[in-house]
Amino acid sequence: MSLEAVTWAYKQQGLKSGAKFLLVTLGNYADENSECYPGIKTLAKDTAMSPRSVIRAINELSESGHIQTIIRPGEGGGRKSNIYRLACSKLTEKAKCQSDTLGGQSANLSGGQCDNLSRQSANLSRQSAKLSPKPSEEPKEEPKDKNICSRQKKPTTAKQKPANPEDLELAMWIWGLIDGLAPGQKKPNFNTWADDIRKMREIDKRTHDDIKAVFEWAHNDSFWKTNIRSPSKLREKFDGLNTKRLNARQRNGHGKSTESFAEKNYEDGARLGVLAQFRQS
């Protein structure tokens, strides 16, 4: 491990988190020449990144000049793991020092030897330039749209319409009968009940008399009185209950008396509903 390479990697700015983590990992593998050759799978395991993410990070570091990737051909046309040369200051200074040394030696030589040394010095200078990291470009902030707030729609809360008095009265009548079975129950939201009754009127085309008659029949049935305990449940089972009610009328021959019984007890049921509401408020 090269402590200088790891320290240098930590100090680099302007890199994405994955690329910087990979640079530090390469610094951990680097030798005294700031070179290393771990495989892609090894780097993926060490950084907890996918191999594809590792390759993208390597390309990013190569483009920014933080590393130089050297491909090593293997035996039989295969490939070994790449050599990664970190552009830390020690290596850059070493390359420059070699370039200066060769330049000084060339002054004492002549002819072909001097030309060869000049070419070597030029190559080392180019290598040093490649290894020097490029200045990181700060991401430009996009101009803020001053009108973005005006385009955003503010959430609107739907205001509930006041309940129809007749629907509310019928809701209280229903509750009066239900509360009469076991007094002291938790009272419902009468506005919600009234709205369910409104839906039965406006959507299902039921009349108040129809709703009263069907609920009255269900309330007097030993099974349905414990299952139909709200207008919403009544609406859900309305057709089936009404069919059972009409069949019972035909079998018993008490159609008129049943209807009159429902009418007779409507005011009493509504009054019980109001009393139950005040008793629990």
Side-chain angles (χ1 to χ4, degrees):
M1 180 185 73
S2 173
L3 181 59
E4 294 176 352
V6 172
T7 304
W8 170 84
Y10 270 119
K11 293 181 179 180
Q12 301 309 299
Q13 301 295 327
L15 293 173
K16 294 181 181 178
S17 57
K20 185 166 184 177
F21 188 23
L22 182 66
L23 184 62
V24 174
T25 304
L26 292 175
N28 188 50
Y29 279 106
D31 55 18
E32 65 276 5
N33 294 323
S34 299
E35 294 180 353
C36 58
Y37 41 89
I40 297 296
K41 292 183 179 180
T42 301
L43 292 173
K45 181 179 179 181
D46 291 345
T47 59
M49 298 164 61
S50 65
R52 183 174 296 180
S53 298
V54 170
I55 294 174
R56 283 200 299 266
I58 289 173
N59 292 334
E60 180 182 344
L61 293 172
S62 298
E63 292 176 359
S64 63
H66 287 85
I67 64 172
Q68 181 184 10
T69 304
I70 302 172
I71 299 176
R72 294 193 302 168
E75 298 179 358
R79 283 178 55 183
K80 296 181 180 179
S81 60
N82 296 334
I83 296 177
Y84 303 104
R85 182 177 296 160
L86 279 66
C88 55
S89 58
K90 182 179 178 181
L91 181 61
T92 304
E93 291 176 359
K94 181 179 178 181
K96 290 182 178 179
C97 182
Q98 291 177 352
S99 176
D100 294 339
T101 302
L102 288 173
Q105 291 177 354
S106 65
N108 299 323
L109 298 173
S110 62
Q113 292 179 341
C114 184
D115 293 337
N116 290 334
L117 288 176
S118 297
R119 283 194 295 271
Q120 292 178 11
S121 177
N123 289 334
L124 285 174
S125 297
R126 286 193 295 269
Q127 182 181 4
S128 175
K130 290 181 179 179
L131 291 177
S132 299
K134 299 177 181 178
S136 57
E137 295 182 358
E138 294 293 336
K140 296 181 180 179
E141 295 184 359
E142 296 182 358
K144 296 182 179 180
D145 190 351
K146 296 181 180 179
N147 297 325
I148 188 171
C149 294
S150 62
R151 293 201 304 268
Q152 293 178 348
K153 295 182 178 179
K154 296 182 179 180
T156 56
T157 55
K159 294 183 180 179
Q160 189 174 9
K161 296 181 179 180
N164 181 287
E166 294 181 359
D167 294 340
L168 190 60
E169 183 181 2
L170 181 55
M172 290 183 178
W173 174 77
I174 292 175
W175 172 245
L177 296 181
I178 293 175
D179 188 64
L181 295 175
Q185 303 177 69
K186 182 180 178 181
K187 67 179 181 179
N189 186 325
F190 288 106
N191 287 329
T192 302
W193 278 28
D195 189 59
D196 290 331
I197 294 173
R198 177 192 62 80
K199 292 176 182 178
M200 282 191 276
R201 286 192 301 102
E202 296 180 357
I203 300 176
D204 304 336
K205 306 304 180 183
R206 319 287 187 193
T207 64
H208 282 136
D209 291 339
D210 294 336
I211 297 171
K212 287 188 292 184
V214 174
F215 183 82
E216 177 77 21
W217 179 88
H219 183 71
N220 290 321
D221 185 85
S222 59
F223 173 78
W224 289 109
K225 68 180 179 180
T226 58
N227 290 279
I228 306 300
R229 298 177 56 82
S230 66
S232 62
K233 197 67 178 179
L234 177 65
R235 184 188 182 199
E236 178 184 344
K237 303 290 185 181
F238 193 94
D239 289 332
L241 292 173
N242 194 36
T243 300
K244 293 179 183 294
R245 179 181 71 89
L246 295 176
N247 290 339
R249 286 177 56 189
Q250 292 178 357
R251 288 195 303 269
N252 298 331
H254 300 306
K256 291 185 179 180
S257 61
T258 303
E259 292 294 338
S260 60
F261 181 76
E263 293 290 340
K264 179 177 180 298
N265 286 281
Y266 178 70
E267 288 189 7
D268 293 339
R271 191 181 306 111
L272 288 173
V274 174
L275 292 175
Q277 180 182 6
F278 281 102
R279 186 166 57 240
Q280 295 189 22
S281 59

